[in-house]
Amino acid sequence: MSVSDKTPKLGDDSLVDVEKHAALDGVSPRPGLEVPKKSFFGARLISRLTVRDGETYSIDYEKHPRWYRRLLEAGVEDNGIKPVPLEHRTVTQYSNLFTVFFTCLLNLLPIPTGLLATLGYGMSLRDAALVILFFALLTCIPPAFMGIGGMETGMRQLVQARYSFGRYLVLVPLLLNAATVTGFCLLSAVVGGQSLAALNPESVSPSIGIVITCLVALAVSLLGFKAVHFWERWTWIPSLISLAIAVGCGGHNLRHQVDAPPATASQVISYGCLIAGYFITFGGTSSDYTIYHNPVGVSKIRVFIYMYLGFLVSSVPLLILGAAIGGAVPNVPSWQAAYEVTGIGGVMREMLAPAGGFGKFILVLLALSVIGNIAISTYSVSLNLQMLLPHSARIPRFVFIFITLAIMVPCALKAAEEWEESLTNFLSVIGYWAGCFDAVIILELVVFRKMDYTTFDHAIWNVGRKLPIGVAALGASICSMGLVVPGMAAPWYTGPIAKTTGDIGFEMGFAVTALCYLLFRWIEIRARGHL
């Protein structure tokens, strides 16, 4: 048979396949010209990774290879960032929106955050408690409100952000959100690692503890949405019991508070900004855990209250407990010595010392309590990474879990070397961008879309030419930096305004972004003629 006999002829099905795959590879087949085999491989790969315009999540087990179907049958979540149509939003157990956030924050992480108020900022326990309560009551509102959008639209939080920032400029908040959530993973891993190391500081280093906690959390986040909600629904019980036992054993030393003068306005505002950074950053992830919940027949207020209380009820008591511990550490020599070696884990070991061997068991449970926080954080980061490239939406979500872990572990090991400074730097800076982001998303929904979630059209979620340009959102955020930078007070930089007022960077970021976005977005809509 001659070469020409092998060449596809017009009307042959094979010719259609050649032209289709070759076009995807950038090759224009001509009659009498064969397409190289590598072109077919590239075409098939691109074809498999290409997400059609407006493509939404659908359940089709048969399209997957057998090994992947077995993973799905075992409970691994199939969907990544594709919007979930209403018929697939079937979860009606709304109380798990309380437990997912309640449990993820009911661990050791809030304790060192609260400890900074007394040990780092020099505030009294009373003043620290009032600042924690006030700023928590206020800054838990935005993430709880934004989380409703996941249930109503079936979209992840950063996919919703495309309807403000656009298809491409959303990469800026996307990267910032991924860095922020990864930072929370690092802090949780360090706290858990320090606690495990405190069991035997001579033979177990915090590095080993960090790796252990990260690997256990990996298993939960790999499975996805159902596993995350199941884990968070029940693991608060041993965490709460363990914390109560620790306070019962060592709480008598909390009365030894250092004397501190009344807090200045600068101290109140600066620490309040840190608390704002702790809560308001959940605005970038809260919808990730609500996209499978059915919005039909349930009150939005009910959903809001579940999430709001989930943030508030677990965090505030532990933040205040941390402030009490920080105020007592300088006056309790054993606590001071333990804190210098293994951080908050060492202090918890000393608090549990009267319980003997049982206290060590409780310390292990406390160390493992951070897994819930790491699991949901890793879950959200993997979704952010999946949004970075146009063809990554079809790559299985669990691949990005491993990428996140590979980034997180070495960074956590480095952060543990300068723990207190790392914590202060991180929490004081993340609130700035999060304030800008939350202001844009909330105004877009409330002012320009008039609380109409149907305007988040699934048909354009990945169509850049139909989504907003994003200049208004990004431009408003950048403009706010003109007052954020002078108003910020971080360990490595204090702006001229902050030297007088304290850290007002978060407040400036939120307020200025909101004002600029109202104007810029109105101009953008007038220029485009539609949302």
Side-chain angles (χ1 to χ4, degrees):
M1 181 183 293
S2 65
V3 174
S4 60
D5 291 331
K6 298 179 183 178
T7 303
K9 303 296 191 299
L10 288 172
D12 289 351
D13 290 339
S14 56
L15 179 58
V16 176
D17 290 336
V18 169
E19 290 181 338
K20 179 178 68 174
H21 293 302
L24 286 170
D25 259 354
V27 179
S28 298
R30 297 191 304 268
L33 179 64
E34 293 187 350
V35 178
K37 290 184 178 180
K38 64 179 182 179
S39 175
F40 283 99
F41 173 78
R44 286 195 297 269
L45 179 62
I46 294 175
S47 178
R48 288 177 181 274
L49 295 180
T50 298
V51 178
R52 299 186 306 275
D53 288 355
E55 180 179 344
T56 58
Y57 171 62
S58 61
I59 300 176
D60 186 2
Y61 289 101
E62 298 304 320
K63 68 180 180 181
H64 297 297
R66 182 177 301 176
W67 66 270
Y68 191 70
R69 290 202 298 268
R70 289 178 179 175
L71 291 178
L72 299 181
E73 291 168 359
V76 174
E77 182 184 0
D78 182 30
N79 186 35
I81 62 173
K82 295 178 186 176
V84 179
L86 181 60
E87 61 268 22
H88 294 313
R89 282 177 255 162
T90 57
V91 177
T92 56
Q93 194 173 44
Y94 303 100
S95 60
N96 63 18
L97 298 178
F98 167 79
T99 55
V100 70
F101 297 113
F102 176 81
T103 305
C104 89
L105 294 173
L106 188 73
N107 56 60
L108 293 180
L109 181 59
I111 295 178
T113 306
L115 181 144
L116 290 175
T118 48
L119 197 59
Y121 285 83
M123 301 171 68
S124 68
L125 175 58
R126 186 202 65 176
D127 292 342
L130 290 173
V131 172
I132 288 168
L133 180 60
F134 174 78
F135 277 89
L137 287 170
L138 183 65
T139 56
C140 285
I141 294 174
F145 175 75
M146 294 165 70
I148 299 172
M151 177 187 72
E152 293 290 336
T153 67
M155 295 180 184
R156 308 287 187 180
Q157 195 72 71
L158 266 297
V159 174
Q160 293 176 48
R162 291 181 175 183
Y163 294 77
S164 303
F165 284 88
R167 173 70 177 83
Y168 305 106
L169 293 184
V170 78
L171 292 178
V172 176
L174 183 66
L175 291 171
L176 290 170
N177 187 66
T180 298
V181 181
T182 302
F184 273 110
C185 284
L186 304 186
L187 300 181
S188 298
V190 171
V191 171
Q194 288 176 340
S195 300
L196 289 177
L199 291 169
N200 191 348
E202 291 77 20
S203 57
V204 179
S205 71
S207 299
I208 296 175
I210 288 170
V211 173
I212 291 173
T213 54
C214 288
L215 290 177
V216 176
L218 172 70
V220 179
S221 54
L222 268 177
L223 293 174
F225 183 90
K226 291 182 180 178
V228 166
H229 274 290
F230 179 81
W231 179 275
E232 308 290 358
R233 188 165 186 84
W234 300 109
T235 55
W236 64 270
I237 299 174
S239 298
L240 181 60
I241 293 173
S242 300
L243 287 165
I245 292 173
V247 173
C249 291
H252 61 280
N253 282 322
L254 295 177
R255 68 178 184 272
H256 302 302
Q257 295 290 308
V258 296
D259 293 327
T264 64
S266 176
Q267 286 176 309
V268 169
I269 293 174
S270 294
Y271 186 66
C273 184
L274 188 146
I275 294 297
Y278 184 84
F279 287 111
I280 204 166
T281 49
F282 280 96
T285 62
S286 54
S287 281
D288 295 348
Y289 313 103
T290 64
I291 67 166
Y292 295 102
H293 286 77
N294 194 309
V296 179
V298 62
S299 168
K300 296 182 182 66
I301 296 177
R302 177 185 172 190
V303 173
F304 170 83
I305 290 174
Y306 275 137
M307 290 189 284
Y308 181 80
L309 293 179
F311 291 123
L312 190 72
V313 173
S314 56
S315 296
V316 169
L318 292 181
L319 288 166
I320 294 175
L321 172 62
I325 292 173
V329 162
N331 288 337
V332 182
S334 61
W335 287 16
Q336 179 71 51
Y339 182 75
E340 291 175 356
V341 177
T342 51
I344 191 63
V347 177
M348 300 306 293
R349 182 198 65 201
E350 292 300 317
M351 291 180 68
L352 288 164
F358 179 68
K360 291 185 177 181
F361 170 71
I362 295 299
L363 186 58
V364 173
L365 293 182
L366 288 174
L368 296 179
S369 69
V370 301
I371 291 173
N373 190 285
I374 299 174
I376 71 165
S377 298
T378 307
Y379 177 78
S380 287
V381 172
S382 69
L383 296 170
N384 290 169
L385 294 178
Q386 199 172 24
M387 289 179 63
L388 284 177
L389 299 174
H391 296 294
S392 58
R394 284 194 183 277
I395 299 175
R397 180 190 54 81
F398 63 80
V399 172
F400 297 96
I401 296 286
F402 289 105
I403 296 174
T404 302
L405 185 69
I407 296 171
M408 184 176 67
V409 171
C411 290
L413 298 179
K414 180 64 178 177
E417 296 176 4
E418 298 178 350
W419 165 240
E420 190 170 320
E421 184 178 351
S422 298
L423 179 62
T424 306
N425 277 332
F426 174 71
L427 289 177
S428 62
V429 171
I430 60 175
Y432 303 142
W433 88 265
C436 300
F437 177 81
D438 288 13
V440 167
I441 301 303
I442 292 172
L443 282 178
E444 177 68 30
L445 173 62
V446 175
V447 176
F448 297 105
R449 297 181 184 270
K450 297 178 172 49
M451 292 296 294
D452 184 1
Y453 290 98
T454 62
T455 60
F456 292 85
D457 185 2
H458 284 190
I460 65 170
W461 73 274
N462 61 341
V463 186
R465 65 186 180 277
K466 294 185 179 181
L467 288 167
I469 302 170
V471 173
L474 189 60
S477 302
I478 293 174
C479 286
S480 71
M481 293 299 110
L483 285 177
V484 168
V485 175
M488 65 184 288
W492 44 272
Y493 173 78
T494 300
I497 297 178
K499 290 178 181 178
T500 303
T501 63
D503 193 334
I504 58 172
F506 157 71
E507 292 88 342
M508 290 295 98
F510 191 93
V512 176
T513 299
L515 291 174
C516 291
Y517 188 65
L518 286 172
L519 174 62
F520 295 170
R521 182 66 168 131
W522 178 81
I523 295 173
E524 187 178 69
I525 292 173
R526 289 292 298 269
R528 286 166 52 86
H530 59 85
L531 287 172

